[in-house]
């Protein structure tokens, strides 16, 4: 069955590859970007490969752009089956004892407040789906359990993804009654712009991990944190 799927921040990286794979599988996919030119270029690149995806401009830190995107999808589809909260940024990090408040606010604006704002705006459209799914792209660095055992730095990015994880758990519990699933997933250390292309996995390898948590069937999991083919510690 073809699903209506929105991937935030999908003009490049794992989000862009995910849009490609979902379109190849025949889904109605909304590629989304904060920069209209970059988004349309990404859409055109897929078109040259014979893939038709829809484009919607959305900056996850800009409430008006989120509501406009929601209006576009509501008008065209009347529902959203899957929301993939993929957009995120990383920053040059200072030690936890010397965090820059500006950097902390900037990163939380995109990685957490933005994700929450997108999610709450799209929940009415997810409720209109028979099998709504929210897939929050998190990170192993957001796992408090894993960081407690093996601390790997990046305190600001880690905190933003830990907040995403906490919010995902709350969503999963609250939205169960509506039949909406909410999970977090970490793609693993992937060679994208975010990692200055230092990641040890290819983009496609990262995409495949996320994909498993996007195309869930009716009896699929909720309230889980996926990593590769296993579950990650929250
Ligand atoms: N790569 C890894 O090793 C790794 C590991 C764990 C988790 N992750 C997570 O995987 C997801 C994808 O990351 P990636 O590695 O593919 O990074 P990426 O290549 O840097 O892509 C990030 C995407 O997010 C977009 N974005 C940033 N701020 C935005 C905003 N305010 N509004 C809308 N879009 C915005 C970027 O758009 P612009 O082009 O306009 O900047 C870009 O399209 C992120 O959630 C990241 O935290 C990645």
């Amino acid at each position: 069955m073809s699903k209506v799927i929105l991937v935030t921040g999908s003009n490049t990286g794992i989000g862009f590859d995910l849009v490609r794979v979902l379109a190849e599988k025949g889904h109605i996919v909304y590629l989304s970007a904060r920069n209209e030119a970059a988004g349309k270029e990404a859409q055109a690149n897929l078109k040259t490969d014979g893939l038709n995806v829809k484009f919607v401009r959305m900056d996850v830190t800009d409430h008006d752009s989120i509501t406009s995107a929601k209006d576009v999808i509501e008008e065209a589809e009347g529902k959203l089956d899957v929301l993939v909260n993929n957009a995120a940024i990383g920053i040059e990090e200072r030690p936890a004892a010397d965090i820059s408040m500006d950097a902390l606010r900037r990163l939380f604006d995109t990685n957490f407040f933005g994700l929450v704002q997108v999610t709450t705006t799209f929940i009415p459209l997810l409720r209109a789906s028979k099998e709504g799914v929210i897939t929050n792209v998190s990170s192993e660095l957001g796992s408090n359990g894993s960081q407690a055992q093996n601390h790997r730095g990046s305190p600001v990015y880690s905190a933003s993804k830990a907040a995403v994880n906490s919010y995902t758990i709350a969503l999963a519990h609250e939205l169960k009654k509506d039949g909406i699933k909410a999970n977090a997933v970490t793609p693993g250390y992937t060679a994208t712009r975010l990692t200055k292309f230092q990641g040890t996995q290819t983009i496609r390898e990262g995409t495949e991990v996320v994909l498993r948590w996007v195309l869930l069937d009716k009896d699929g999991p909720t309230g889980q944190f996926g990593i590769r083919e296993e579950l990650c510690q929250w």
Side-chain angles (χ1 to χ4, degrees), residues 169-182:
I169 292 169
L171 285 172
H173 283 286
E174 273 180 38
L175 297 177
K176 215 174 243 173
K177 63 179 184 334
D178 300 320
I180 298 174
K181 298 170 186 59

Side-chain angles (χ1 to χ4, degrees), residues 65-137:
S65 79
I66 300 171
T67 51
S68 301
K70 182 235 173 200
D71 290 346
V72 168
I73 296 176
E74 184 165 28
E75 168 112 26
E77 321 293 343
K79 65 163 184 175
L80 182 67
D81 295 310
V82 188
L83 168 63
V84 185
N85 281 312
N86 169 76
I89 56 170
I91 49 163
E92 295 300 329
E93 295 253 3
R94 302 211 310 233
D98 184 32
I99 278 178
S100 143
M101 292 308 294
D102 277 354
L104 183 64
R105 288 197 180 89
R106 192 157 48 83
L107 200 117
F108 263 75
D109 240 0
T110 302
N111 294 11
F112 184 57
F113 302 139
L115 178 146
V116 172
Q117 195 153 244
V118 170
T119 304
T120 56
T121 304
F122 277 92
I123 280 174
L125 279 191
L126 287 161
R127 285 204 172 102
S129 162
K130 287 193 179 69
E131 298 179 24
V133 170
I134 299 167
T135 307
N136 289 332
V137 183

Side-chain angles (χ1 to χ4, degrees), residues 9-15 34 58-61 86-89 110 137-139 157 161 186-190 192-195:
S10 49
N11 51 291
T12 189
I14 294 164
R34 58 178 163 178
M58 180 167 53
D59 179 334
V60 303
T61 65
N86 169 76
I89 56 170
T110 302
V137 183
S138 182
S139 166
Y157 181 80
K161 292 296 188 178
T186 171
Y189 191 40
T190 305
T192 65
R193 200 185 57 200
L194 190 92
T195 58

